[in-house]
Amino acid sequence: MSNKILEVLREEKETQFKGRLYYTTQIRFLYNTNHIEGSKLTAEQTRYIYETDTLLTDGTTATNINDIVETSNHFKMVDYVLDIAEEPLTEEIIKEFHKILKSGTTDERKLWFRVGDYKMLDNEVRFTETAPPDKVKEKNG
């Protein structure tokens, strides 16, 4: 069975035309996802990073380098998702998503932070507790 949206996204990924579904999805999806995680990048800065691989600043606001790196990595991850969209979702693929997103961030240099693997420490997302490290695999399996 053919998936027309996937076909369109893959075609537009190759052509890189602005304003179409792929372009809009990359920018809007990333902007909203990053803000859930606390990124301070604006929608305009997100678009600018996507289009130019540079950051447009006002000269007075500090921008966390992780926000910039993760933004760039997110664009790569969406492309990876499109490449493997027809494969069954596996634990290895989910870990690869994490590896793509966190590669090159300051988290990668932390001994306790395991890029592309299960967490070692408790954490929360926006004041919501998550599974403890020893229960992650069980809860996601």
Side-chain angles (χ1 to χ4, degrees):
M1 178 168 66
S2 174
N3 183 327
K4 185 65 175 162
I5 293 174
L6 181 58
E7 289 175 26
V8 168
L9 287 167
R10 285 177 171 165
E11 180 181 308
E12 290 180 6
K13 173 186 159 199
E14 297 304 316
T15 61
Q16 296 289 313
F17 287 127
K18 292 181 183 178
R20 297 199 175 182
L21 181 62
Y22 171 81
Y23 172 89
T24 303
T25 299
Q26 281 280 37
I27 295 166
R28 288 186 181 171
F29 178 54
L30 173 64
Y31 171 74
N32 289 298
T33 301
N34 278 357
H35 274 265
I36 291 170
E37 295 291 328
S39 172
K40 302 294 187 229
L41 290 174
T42 67
E44 180 64 14
Q45 287 171 321
T46 303
R47 181 196 62 78
Y48 202 77
I49 291 169
Y50 178 75
E51 290 181 0
T52 69
D53 287 323
T54 61
L55 177 63
L56 182 63
T57 66
D58 63 9
T60 62
T61 305
T63 302
N64 183 312
I65 193 71
N66 286 330
D67 289 347
I68 299 165
V69 173
E70 285 186 26
T71 295
S72 181
N73 289 349
H74 187 278
F75 298 135
K76 293 175 198 168
M77 193 202 71
V78 170
D79 287 347
Y80 174 67
V81 169
L82 292 176
D83 291 343
I84 63 154
E86 294 158 323
E87 295 180 25
L89 186 61
T90 64
E91 179 180 1
E92 289 74 29
I93 289 173
I94 292 169
K95 287 180 176 183
E96 185 65 18
F97 292 163
H98 189 254
K99 183 179 177 183
I100 292 168
L101 286 171
K102 299 305 271 184
S103 292
T105 66
T106 58
D107 287 334
E108 192 173 44
R109 297 191 301 257
K110 297 173 184 170
L111 295 177
W112 56 266
F113 196 95
R114 298 164 56 183
V115 172
D117 208 347
Y118 291 112
K119 65 184 178 179
M120 296 175 67
L121 300 175
D122 289 329
N123 69 316
E124 63 180 42
V125 176
R126 293 280 177 140
F127 309 111
T128 301
E129 289 186 30
T130 62
D134 62 336
K135 300 288 186 199
V136 173
K137 186 171 184 169
E138 171 186 318
K139 291 211 176 252
N140 293 315

